[in-house]
Structures are given as C-alpha cells and as structure tokens.
C-alpha cells in the first residue's frame, strides 16, 4: 500500500527530508533538458516536484495526464511559491502510463467546458481538485448530520425504496416492473419514519428518494439523498423547531470546523448563525415584502420564490442570521398528515427553514389521532381503506404519541453551504429527465 | 418533550425517588380493586408500575395494548423480581387511548404467529421488545462500519441507484419506466466505487442494492443494504485481505462493546476472533472436507453450501475463529473486472470471507490495465463499446492505480451476528417476490 509514502498534505512536517509521494500526473512543464516541473495529484490535493536531472526528465516523455507515478525528492519550503512546499532534485517512477489524451482539461483552475460536457465526462471531471473538494465537503456534511442524531439518541433506520403503492397520492412516481406487477420508487420515507416512532421514539434516515417531476431546472434532480427525522413524545410543535435549530447550528459549526480549508478554497462563506433563528409568519412576510419592495403577495397563501430570496437577504442583514424560519402556513394547503394548530385552526403546525434564498427543510407536527387522520384523508378525497395507507394507519390505530419531524434534501444544503449555482454540482452522478449516465 | 421524565433504563440511578416515566401500555394485570400491575414500554425496554389505589386502577379500564400513558411512582429495587426496578404506589395519566385490540400479541416473550402474519403486521410486530433489539443492534452495526472506514481515511460516497444500463450483464435487474424510456435499479455500486478511486483513493458506500432473483428462500431479499468499499494504491491483494480482517474485528468488537446487553438478551454469542483469519484454498477445502466427512467435492470448482458450513464449524473448533477466509477461486469463474493471479494464472485474486456457515464478503483485486480489461470483457462475450461500460472503462483509460475492494450484505451479517434463522428477520420491511408491503 505504498505505506512509506507521504500524501501531499503531509509535506509540511517533513521539510529537509528525502521523501516519496505518489498519485496522478496532473501537469508537466519541461523548461529545458535539465529542468522540469511535475504537479502530482493525490486525495489531499496537489504537490510539485522539480526535476534537474536529464535522465529523470526523459522518463516524463509521453506521460499523459492521469499517469500513475511516484516521485522521490527533498522537501523544501517555498514561502513565495504557488505551492508552499515542493520536492526538489526529484527522481521519478512511472507506474502506469496513460495512452489517451484526457477528454476534458482538469489541470487548470477552472474547467472550460459546458455543463453537459462536464456531466458526460463526470468520471474524469471529478478528478479536478475543485470537484474533489465539493464531494469531500458533502461527505463531511453527511457524517456530521449522523453525528448530531446519534448524539441526541435518535436511532438510524433504513426503509425500503420499492413500495407497493404510491403513498402520498402523487402522480410523480417512477413505476417498476416488480416480478411482473407494478411497484413504485418511494418519494420519501415519510410513512416509514412515522411507523418507527412507536419503536425507537426518535429516528432518522439518510437514504435515496425519487421524484419523477417533469422539470429540468437548476433546482431539480430525479434521485436525491434525503435526510429525514421524526421524534415522538413532543410537548408541542416548538420541540420540533428547537431540535431543527440545534441540528442546523451543529451541522454548520462541525462541518466548518472539520472542512474549513476546503470550504475557503471553494469560496464558501461561513453562514451567520444565531441560537434561535428569526421566525416570521407567511402573512407577516407578505407585509414586510410589500413594505420594503412594493411587491404585493398579500393575497397569496404560499411563499413566492422572490419572497424566499428577500427574507433570507433581509434576515442576514437585519437579524445576523443566514437561517430564517417561516411559519403560519394555511391549513387549507396542509397535507393530510399535518396537524392543525389548536389556537388558530386557519393554520397548520408547519414551518419552513430557509437558508440563503431557498427552503431547505419543511418541518411539521403530525396528526396522531387515528380517527382525525382518517377524517383528514377522507376530506382530501383519498380513501383511508386504500392498501397503500393501511399499514401507515395501523401505526396510529395501535398507539402513537404526539410527534413531528422534518425532511431535508442534502444536495441542496451542500449547494447553499458552498454557494454552488446548480444543484447538479452537488450530486456525484446526477439524474434528471435527460440523464441516467454515467 | 416530557423533559422531566425518565426512561425505563434510567430507574437504577433513582432508587427511592418519586419519578415519572412514559410510553406504551404493554400489559396490565389487575389482581384486585386495590392491586394492579402495569408494564410500560419505551425505547429502552420495559418497566413495571404497581398500583395500590382503587382510583388509579379504575383509569386502566378499557386501556388496550399500545395506549400512551405516563405513570408516577417511587422507584424500588426488587432483587428477586422479573424487573430489577419498579415504580411503587403508582399514579396514572392516560394520554391517548387505543380503541382497537392489537392484531398480534406482542406482550409475550415469544410472538406466536407464523412468518407471513408477522410480516403482514410488521408495523405492530416491530414493537415487540425482541424485534426492537434486533434493529437497534442493526443500527449499531451500521454505525460501527462507518466508524471503521472514517477512522481509516475512507471517504463516503453516494452513487445513483437508477442506472441507464444493466451493467454487470445480469438478467436479474428491475426495470423502471424512466420518463418514457427504460432504466434499471442498480445491483451493486461496483462500477461507481471503482470510478471514485481516482478521486478519493479509498471510498465506501452504504446504500441500497436490488436483485430481481426469482428465488424465495431464507437467504434472499429483493432490496438489500450493501456495504461496499474500494481502496487504491494497494501493493498486492494481501492489502485488501488485511483491511477486511481489521474491518471484521473492529465491527464485531465495537458492536459488542456498545450492544452487549441487547446481544445477550437476543441469545447471541460473541464471535471467536483472531487477528489474522485462518485461510484455506478451495482445493485444500475440498480435500479437507473429503478427509473429514467423506463428502467428495474435489471435482467442483466452487464451494458447496455444505462446505461453507463445514469449514466454519471446523474453523471455530480447530482454529478458534468464527471468521475464515477461502481463496484460490478458479480464474475460469472470475468476473471480467477481477484480477488474474500472477504466479498462478489458474486462479483469480479473489477470496470469500465466511462467517458462521455462510459467505458474507467477496473481496477481490481488480484488473486496472485498460487494455487487459477490454480484452477480459471481450473474452466473456460482452462488448466493451456498450454504453453501459463506456464510463466505467474511462476510469481505467485515464489512469487507475492498483486497487481492490469488497461488498457485504449488512442484513446477512446482522443475521449471523445475532443468530437469526431467516435473513428477513434482519430487515425492517423485507422485500421478496411476493411482498412489497408494508
């Protein structure tokens, strides 16, 4: 395993020593027969090796980008160089040559190729240091999300993604040929996580969800990674809001602590955090928007995308928070499993968490009274005896405590944390209406 | 959130104190107008409350299993009781009554219902304390698997499960209607994890995999949770074997340390562990089997299920190890991405890790030379220009170090760790040929 070899990020601790590093040939610049520079890439980044020996420089002939090499040299600190440390008086070992020129150039700071070309050559594009950093951050975000829930005594579950019936009544589901009959890909683990509350009380799941939406925008993916949580024995909806605030603060703080060099290199700015996020109702937001911008949404029930953007900018400026909570959504728009507010039956116990211009989390308290739930299903024109609802309803029929939870698309969170233009940049191999490869 | 309330497992620290607990009514036994016993279930287990007040006992009338209650009482230690601690002089608060009798009885030590009935009523069956323990163990196993790879500098990835082409040439794939054309559910993340080696060098994924096998046995599921790992810059296949040994030891030790009370309550026995697992070739195993049992598989190329069982028992008895590695699999049976052994071209660089009678991990070194890989694909009658192979092959065309990895079905590992009869017992909501609900 080349156990004796260093990684590019470890050179600082070995100044003056003769060491060996290994990785992919990233660029080569041959200045003369007696001077050449090689930049080598490994999982930690880039490292420069300087060759001053004609024999060593000859070995670089015909070595294309991606060639697997190792290089020995003496580590020198270069305070003014592009690379703070480099290997000098290098000697080279060419391990496996690449015979084909790369279809896209990953050796420059920016990849100059259009979006579709980058997606088509994602296998190579991901080797670009910027791409590698994005998905390293994504891995850290996911790890810290798990760490939060593990530390708060939630139990992780894995619910099936093949389901017998489209459960939330949606038309936008993918159909599968399941041993000759129809089955479907789950749009969310909503029903399963609720079913698990009477077993583990507090559960979370990180898993795939599928949306057959006929939209191809910078906001849409057909296959996403969802974080879902559900918590039982709440006193009120405020418990769900408080857990969400603690979650968002924890994940941002911990990710930033672990990944700060990556995030700064990606041009990310640390989110403005406060312990309790500013909270505004839909109605208040309509009024504020009208007052501040003249745009009038006061007759709308839901938020306009322009309002999401506005309130996030307003919050950052006036409330020093990049997170903002919007509540007071109308009961008339609620899903059948939502809980109606007791003091004000016009609204649902629902809130959206907004982050840098978009909604990233929807959190609600759930209706847990079996008969009320049956009534709400019926009122929305669905049949509570439908086999797709039977098992879900059993969870309530046989005893459910007061509960609530949230769902969050991880790629969108990563996109906004880093500041990426398109959600597809935050998914390793994105799926949309056109694309199912690579 | 009932913040002041205790959980059943916390009573030991509060002997002599007046406390409150909450959860689901599990059983009630009314002895007389002045004496009743209630067993309450929460996420940690069961707790007993003794009522001696006629008014309190009256409240229990009509309370069916699953009713949400809280109970106050004084904690007493009962060294000889079935419950080591109980609440005495209880008072009751009925929070939400259940009006329907449970379809299966979860209040006894064993659930007396056949397998299909239990699967049909899984939503309630999971509330049985034994079921809850199984999936708590499964959650801990998964957490410890992640902990191992995180500690060893692997990066977690998430590859798509909707793919454009069945990749490993298999017939046993599920077909999806993907916006009017055909797509498929991934059988494994094999290609994606290899593609990611030139980005992160060491990667792992825990995700769903789909097998449309027309078998309905105690070993089959249509949707499984797979752990996959892949590591680059190996010196030889031995590096993969060594990582697998360290992985298995870590996961068993750490899971046992965290979950010992659960595992003992489930009747599990701690696996016999050694640092380096005993290793035997297929040929040697045929010989040993013949010598010890008279059963003759010496003309077979692969292992018979009887041999897997035999060698595991033999290993436990003679080598004090519940894990055993079988290697020396014939090259003629290898997949196109396997690596041919250099010293002995008759065999592949492949091994199986066996645990308690079955194969749980297949580990191999991969062929990474682009041209050899193309030749091996062609030799197996597949077309290297097929669009389902193009992106995969690009990973090798543009530079791949020596690498290898493994795949493991998590439910099978959990099944064997605990000692469950059927793999379906280790999956929350199993999917098979017949069943896509709940």
């Amino acid at each position: 395993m080349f156990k004796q070899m260093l990684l590019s990020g470890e050179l600082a601790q070995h100044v003056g020593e003769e060491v060996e590093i290994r990785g992919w040939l990233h660029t080569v610049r041959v200045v003369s027969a007696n001077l050449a520079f090689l930049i080598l890439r490994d999982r930690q980044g880039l490292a420069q090796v300087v060759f001053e020996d004609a024999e060593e420089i000859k070995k670089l002939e015909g070595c294309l980008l991606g060639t697997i090499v190792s290089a020995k040299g003496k580590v020198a600190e270069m305070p003014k160089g592009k690379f703070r440390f480099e290997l000098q008086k290098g000697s080279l070992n060419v391990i496996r040559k690449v015979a084909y020129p790369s279809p896209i150039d990953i050796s420059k700071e920016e990849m100059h190729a259009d979006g579709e070309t980058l997606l088509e050559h994602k296998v190579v594009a991901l080797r670009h240091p910027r791409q590698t950093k994005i998905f390293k951050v994504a891995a850290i975000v996911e790890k810290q999300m798990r760490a939060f829930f593990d530390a708060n005594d939630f139990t992780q579950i894995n619910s099936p993604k093949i389901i017998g019936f489209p459960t939330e009544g949606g038309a936008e589901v993918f159909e599968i040929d399941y041993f000759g009959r129809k089955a479907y890909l789950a749009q969310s683990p909503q029903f399963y996580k609720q079913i698990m509350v009477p077993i583990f009380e507090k559960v979370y799941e990180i898993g795939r969800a599928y949306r057959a939406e006929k939209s191809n925008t910078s906001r849409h993916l057909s296959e996403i990674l969802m974080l879902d949580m559900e918590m039982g024995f709440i006193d009120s909806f405020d418990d769900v809001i408080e857990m969400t605030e603690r979650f968002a603060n924890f994940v941002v703080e911990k990710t930033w602590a672990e990944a700060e060099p990556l995030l700064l290199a990606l041009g990310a700015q640390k989110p403005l955090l406060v312990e309790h996020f500013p909270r505004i109702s839909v109605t208040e937001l309509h009024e504020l928007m009208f007052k501040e911008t003249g745009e009038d949404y006061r007759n709308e029930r839901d938020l306009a995308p322009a309002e999401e953007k506005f309130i996030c900018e307003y919050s950052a400026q006036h409330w020093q928070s990049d997170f903002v909570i919007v509540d007071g959504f109308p009961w008339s728009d609620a899903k059948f499993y939502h809980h109606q507010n007791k003091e004000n039956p016009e609204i649902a116990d629902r809130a959206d968490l907004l982050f840098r211009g978009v909604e990233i989390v929807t959190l609600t308290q759930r209706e847990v009274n079996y008969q009320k739930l049956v009534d709400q299903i019926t009122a929305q024109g669905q049949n509570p005896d439908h086999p797709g609802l039977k098992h879900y309803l059993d969870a309530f029929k046989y005893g459910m405590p007061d509960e609530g939870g949230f769902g969050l698309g991880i790629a969108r969170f990563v996109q906004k944390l880093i500041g990426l233009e398109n959600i597809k940049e935050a998914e390793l191999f994105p799926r949309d209406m056109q694309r199912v490869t690579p």
Side-chain angles (χ1 to χ4, degrees), chain A residues 293-314:
Chain A
T293 72
E295 289 181 58
D296 192 355
Y297 294 98
R298 289 175 297 176
N299 285 326
E300 300 293 322
R301 292 187 307 192
D302 207 345
L303 294 188
E307 287 181 298
E308 293 187 2
K309 203 160 171 290
F310 161 76
I311 193 61
C312 286
E313 284 164 8
Y314 188 93

Side-chain angles (χ1 to χ4, degrees), chain A residues 254-398:
Chain A
K254 295 285 182 175
T255 301
W256 211 270
E258 186 172 351
E260 187 167 16
L262 298 170
L263 285 159
L264 294 179
L266 288 165
Q269 292 203 303
K270 189 171 178 191
L272 298 168
L273 295 174
V274 291
E275 189 184 349
H276 295 293
F277 300 150
R279 206 165 149 179
I280 187 169
S281 75
V282 174
T283 310
E284 289 162 350
L285 176 47
H286 290 333
E287 292 291 343
L288 185 67
M289 180 82 178
F290 181 64
K291 191 181 130 213
E292 295 281 322
T293 72
E295 289 181 58
D296 192 355
Y297 294 98
R298 289 175 297 176
N299 285 326
E300 300 293 322
R301 292 187 307 192
D302 207 345
L303 294 188
E307 287 181 298
E308 293 187 2
K309 203 160 171 290
F310 161 76
I311 193 61
C312 286
E313 284 164 8
Y314 188 93
S315 173
Q317 200 184 332
H318 295 275
W319 302 326
Q320 284 69 54
S321 175
D322 271 334
F323 288 100
V324 58
I325 292 173
V326 180
D327 61 13
F329 286 91
W331 177 245
S332 54
D333 288 350
K335 298 197 175 185
F336 67 70
Y337 51 81
H338 290 175
H339 185 261
Q340 194 168 15
N341 188 272
K342 274 183 187 159
E343 278 98 62
N344 179 1
E346 296 292 308
I347 65 169
D349 283 321
R350 167 191 162 186
D352 280 6
L353 178 66
L354 275 51
F355 179 48
R356 294 182 166 172
V358 294
E359 173 265 312
I360 56 159
V361 178
T362 295
L363 47 157
T364 73
Q365 182 169 349
R366 322 298 187 183
E367 181 51 62
V368 296
N369 179 297
Y370 173 69
Q371 195 51 53
K372 267 197 192 155
L373 194 49
V374 167
D375 293 345
Q376 288 181 187
I377 288 169
T378 310
Q380 295 203 356
Q382 290 198 61
N383 179 1
D385 294 326
H386 188 280
L389 291 169
K390 178 191 175 301
H391 298 284
Y392 173 66
L393 284 171
D394 278 355
F396 302 88
K397 197 171 177 178
Y398 302 114

Side-chain angles (χ1 to χ4, degrees), chain A residues 32-84:
Chain A
S32 70
N34 293 308
L35 184 63
F37 298 86
L38 172 143
I39 297 173
L40 175 152
R41 178 179 64 80
D42 66 15
R43 71 177 182 274
Q44 292 186 339
L46 303 175
Q48 178 161 273
V49 187
V50 187
F51 297 95
E52 298 170 52
D53 179 321
E55 285 303 304
E56 297 301 323
I57 293 170
K58 251 188 205 158
K59 293 182 195 165
L60 290 166
E61 268 174 33
C63 285
L64 298 182
L65 186 148
T67 293
I68 311 291
V69 298
S70 70
K72 283 184 184 162
K74 197 174 173 181
V75 182
E77 186 163 5
M78 312 294 291
K80 291 184 181 169
K82 188 180 163 202
F83 296 91
R84 208 61 216 270

